Structure formats: structure tokens, C-alpha cells
Amino acid sequence: MKYRQLTKEQFENLHEEFAQFLATQSIDVKEWNQIKKDKPQVAEDEMNVFSDVVWDDVLTKTKYVEHFSKSSVNLFKFEESAIFRIAIKVNWDINLLEQKGFEWLMKNPMDNSVEIFKGSKEYNLERNTEIFDLIEKGSTISKGEIFEYFSKLIGA
């Protein structure tokens, strides 16, 4: 398995897609129920393959992720051969996880208490694997508005 199996909730949300996936392998509902009952490992393998297909699709389309903590923000942009990062640290008692703290940062990005760093690196692993790793560590997929805002601000 390349990534991790989708959660039960994710499978439920993708039940139609999973049914189509099984259909491409000539497995109908009746046969699927039989496989789950008689060959749980085969069912598990099918779920793992489907999970990898879904993750690969999502990650290939992902261009930005972001990770917020109480006093810092890490913004990532994924190009074909490199990851671009903007790291923001606020050096006073503020909570960026709360709306009020986030709004303060967006209105005061050049305040003396705000440090902004930028950098880039080539992928150590496959692009999608590196994005997945960041997601597993708590980052969330975004549309990139915050990254682009700070990128323009600092001339990245």
C-alpha cells in the first residue's frame, strides 16, 4: 500500500466510486458481499488498491497545503519538481488557530513581531508521497490564497 486506507467515512462518501471500481473488475454487490464474508483479506486488498487510486488522484490535483499552529503558519506550494514554503512565526501571545488571531496576522503581516521565511527544495521522494506525508502530519489541502498573499507580500 502506497498511502493509507481511506477511513470508513471516506469510503461511505465514495461508495458510488467504489462500486464503479469493483465493477471494472467484474465484481457486483452480491459478489462483493461474498468476498467480504469468505475472503476478508481479498476485500482488504481491494479496499487498499482503491484507497491508493483515490489518494493518488487527490494528491496529483493538490497544489497547496497549509499547517497552522498557535503561533506559526507553514504554507506550501507544490510545483512539478520542487516544493516552495513560506513559514510565518508570530513572536507574541497570539493564537493563530482562532479567527481573531488569524485576522490580526492578515491585517498586520509586516508587524515587528511577525517573522516570514521563504524557501524551496526539490522533492526527496515522489511528489505525491511528500504531499501525503505533510497531510498525515496535520496539514490541510488549500486553494492557496494565503500562500499567494504572502508570496506577493514578500516577493517570493
Side-chain angles (χ1 to χ4, degrees):
M1 181 155 212
K2 190 172 179 182
Y3 304 109
R4 71 163 163 76
Q5 191 175 94
L6 298 172
T7 63
K8 183 179 185 210
E9 182 181 70
Q10 289 168 325
F11 268 108
E12 287 169 0
N13 289 334
L14 295 169
H15 72 274
E16 287 179 27
E17 290 84 351
F18 186 57
Q20 290 172 352
F21 169 79
L22 292 173
T24 63
Q25 298 175 63
S26 302
I27 300 173
D28 62 17
V29 176
K30 183 179 174 189
E31 188 176 354
W32 175 244
N33 289 331
Q34 196 67 39
I35 290 170
K36 287 193 303 187
K37 185 176 150 216
D38 298 339
K39 302 175 188 172
Q41 188 54 52
V42 172
E44 195 72 19
D45 291 345
E46 290 294 333
M47 293 167 68
N48 289 344
V49 170
F50 178 74
S51 294
D52 278 349
V53 168
V54 170
W55 275 114
D56 252 337
D57 184 50
V58 168
L59 296 169
T60 298
K61 293 175 183 172
T62 298
K63 190 159 180 161
Y64 300 93
V65 301
E66 52 196 32
H67 185 274
F68 283 80
S69 69
K70 188 174 178 189
S71 63
S72 66
V73 181
N74 281 284
L75 307 168
F76 300 91
K77 180 178 183 177
F78 305 97
E79 295 290 344
E80 195 172 312
S81 61
I83 302 171
F84 295 86
R85 177 182 179 197
I86 298 174
I88 304 162
K89 181 160 179 34
V90 179
N91 296 310
W92 67 281
D93 192 23
I94 190 170
N95 188 347
L96 298 172
L97 297 172
E98 295 175 351
Q99 188 69 26
K100 185 173 134 184
F102 174 73
E103 287 174 0
W104 180 88
L105 174 63
M106 296 307 281
K107 289 177 186 168
N108 302 283
M110 302 314 281
D111 188 270
N112 287 339
S113 65
V114 178
E115 294 179 73
I116 303 174
F117 307 95
K118 65 179 181 174
S120 65
K121 73 171 187 108
E122 291 184 8
Y123 296 107
N124 293 327
L125 306 168
E126 183 201 359
R127 177 188 182 278
N128 287 0
T129 304
E130 293 209 28
I131 297 171
F132 181 77
D133 186 50
L134 288 168
I135 291 169
E136 289 293 282
K137 290 176 178 169
S139 294
T140 55
I141 296 171
S142 76
K143 293 180 180 166
E145 293 105 330
I146 301 169
F147 182 98
E148 294 301 334
Y149 171 77
F150 279 96
S151 181
K152 284 182 180 78
L153 199 65
I154 62 174

